[in-house]
C-alpha cells in the first residue's frame, strides 16, 4: 500500500478572474438566511425613511436598490462560480431564476460597481435625514446599516474565497481577527 498524497488542487476549480475556488460554496446555508434577513430589514428601513422624506427621494432610492438587485446581479452573480447555489446572501439562487450563467466573464468590475451602489444606497437618504432634522432616524439608519454590514462581514465576507472583491476586503480582515481565516 502506498501513501499517495492528495493533490491539494483536486478540490479547487480554476474558474474565473485567475483565482481557484473550492467546488462547493464555503457558506453554511444559515449564513444565507441571516444575511438575507439583514438586507431585508435594511431595505424596509430605507423604504420607510425615503418615503417619509418625499416621493422623489423614495423613487431615486428605490431605483438604486432595483439596480442593485437586478443589474448588479447580472454583472456579478451570473458570472459567479457559485451561480444558483446558496451563497453569502439570497442573490445566488435569485439570479439563477433571472439570468442564465455567463461563463468566462469577469465579475471584478461588477463587484466594484456593487460597492459603489451600496454606498449610494446608504449615503443618499442619510443626507436627507440629516438635512430634514430626522436625526433620530439618521442614527437608526446608520445603526441598521452597520449591523447589516457587520453581519455580511462576519458571516459572509470572512469566509468568501474571492480575494479580489473590494467589499470583502474588510470581511477578510474581520475573518482573520476572529479566526475564520488564516
Amino acid at each position: 500500500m502506498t501513501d499517495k498524497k492528495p493533490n491539494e488542487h483536486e478540490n479547487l476549480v480554476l474558474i474565473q478572474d485567475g483565482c481557484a475556488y473550492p467546488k462547493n460554496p464555503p457558506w453554511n446555508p444559515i449564513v444565507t438566511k441571516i444575511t438575507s434577513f439583514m438586507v431585508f430589514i435594511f431595505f424596509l428601513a430605507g423604504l420607510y425613511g425615503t418615503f417619509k422624506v418625499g416621493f422623489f427621494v423614495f423613487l431615486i432610492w428605490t431605483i438604486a436598490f432595483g439596480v442593485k438587485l437586478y443589474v448588479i446581479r447580472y454583472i456579478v452573480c451570473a458570472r459567479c462560480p457559485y451561480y444558483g447555489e446558496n451563497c453569502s446572501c439570497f442573490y445566488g439562487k435569485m439570479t439563477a431564476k433571472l439570468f442564465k450563467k455567463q461563463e468566462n466573464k469577469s465579475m471584478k468590475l461588477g463587484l466594484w460597481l456593487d460597492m459603489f451602489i451600496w454606498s449610494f444606497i446608504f449615503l443618499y437618504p442619510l443626507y436627507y435625514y440629516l438635512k430634514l432634522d430626522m436625526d433620530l432616524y439618521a442614527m437608526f439608519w446608520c445603526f441598521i446599516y452597520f449591523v447589516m454590514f457587520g453581519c455580511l462581514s462576519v458571516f459572509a465576507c470572512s469566509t468568501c474565497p474571492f480575494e479580489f472583491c473590494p467589499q470583502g476586503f474588510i470581511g477578510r480582515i474581520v475573518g482573520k481577527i476572529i479566526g475564520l481565516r488564516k
Side-chain angles (χ1 to χ4, degrees):
M1 188 156 138
T2 60
D3 273 339
K4 182 181 176 189
K5 283 188 167 184
N7 182 350
E8 67 181 53
H9 295 290
E10 284 180 36
N11 294 327
L12 299 177
V13 179
L14 187 62
I15 292 188
Q16 119 158 42
D17 293 317
C19 296
Y21 307 106
K23 287 182 182 178
N24 297 316
W27 305 280
N28 186 314
I30 193 73
V31 168
T32 301
K33 291 178 176 80
I34 292 169
T35 58
S36 297
F37 177 73
M38 292 311 304
V39 170
F40 182 67
I41 295 298
F42 177 75
F43 175 71
L44 291 178
L47 283 178
Y48 175 78
T50 57
F51 188 75
K52 293 287 277 179
V53 168
F55 181 75
F56 185 72
V57 172
F58 172 80
L59 181 65
I60 296 296
W61 188 86
T62 305
I63 289 170
F65 215 96
V67 166
K68 171 151 185 61
L69 289 178
Y70 192 77
V71 176
I72 300 296
R73 302 300 44 101
Y74 179 74
I75 59 177
V76 173
C77 300
R79 299 170 183 195
C80 180
Y82 304 120
Y83 166 88
E85 300 183 43
N86 277 325
C87 70
S88 62
C89 205
F90 64 94
Y91 303 139
K93 292 207 176 210
M94 178 190 82
T95 300
K97 294 176 183 180
L98 297 173
F99 311 110
K100 76 177 202 182
K101 183 157 177 58
Q102 296 182 35
E103 296 287 344
N104 302 319
K105 291 188 177 181
S106 176
M107 54 194 264
K108 286 182 181 180
L109 175 62
L111 289 168
W112 280 96
L113 292 173
D114 196 23
M115 184 178 69
F116 172 75
I117 279 287
W118 264 129
S119 300
F120 179 81
I121 286 170
F122 170 62
L123 294 172
Y124 177 69
L126 182 60
Y127 167 78
Y128 289 100
Y129 300 154
L130 295 172
K131 181 179 176 183
L132 299 174
D133 293 325
M134 296 173 63
D135 296 339
L136 192 57
Y137 201 81
M139 288 189 298
F140 171 73
W141 180 246
C142 290
F143 174 77
I144 290 294
Y145 177 77
F146 288 111
V147 168
M148 178 195 67
F149 187 78
C151 283
L152 287 168
S153 292
V154 169
F155 296 117
C157 298
S158 65
T159 58
C160 183
F162 302 135
E163 296 291 332
F164 53 81
C165 177
Q167 293 179 10
F169 178 74
I170 292 172
R172 290 186 294 277
I173 291 170
V174 170
K176 286 177 184 176
I177 291 170
I178 64 175
L180 296 173
R181 285 182 83 93
K182 293 180 181 181

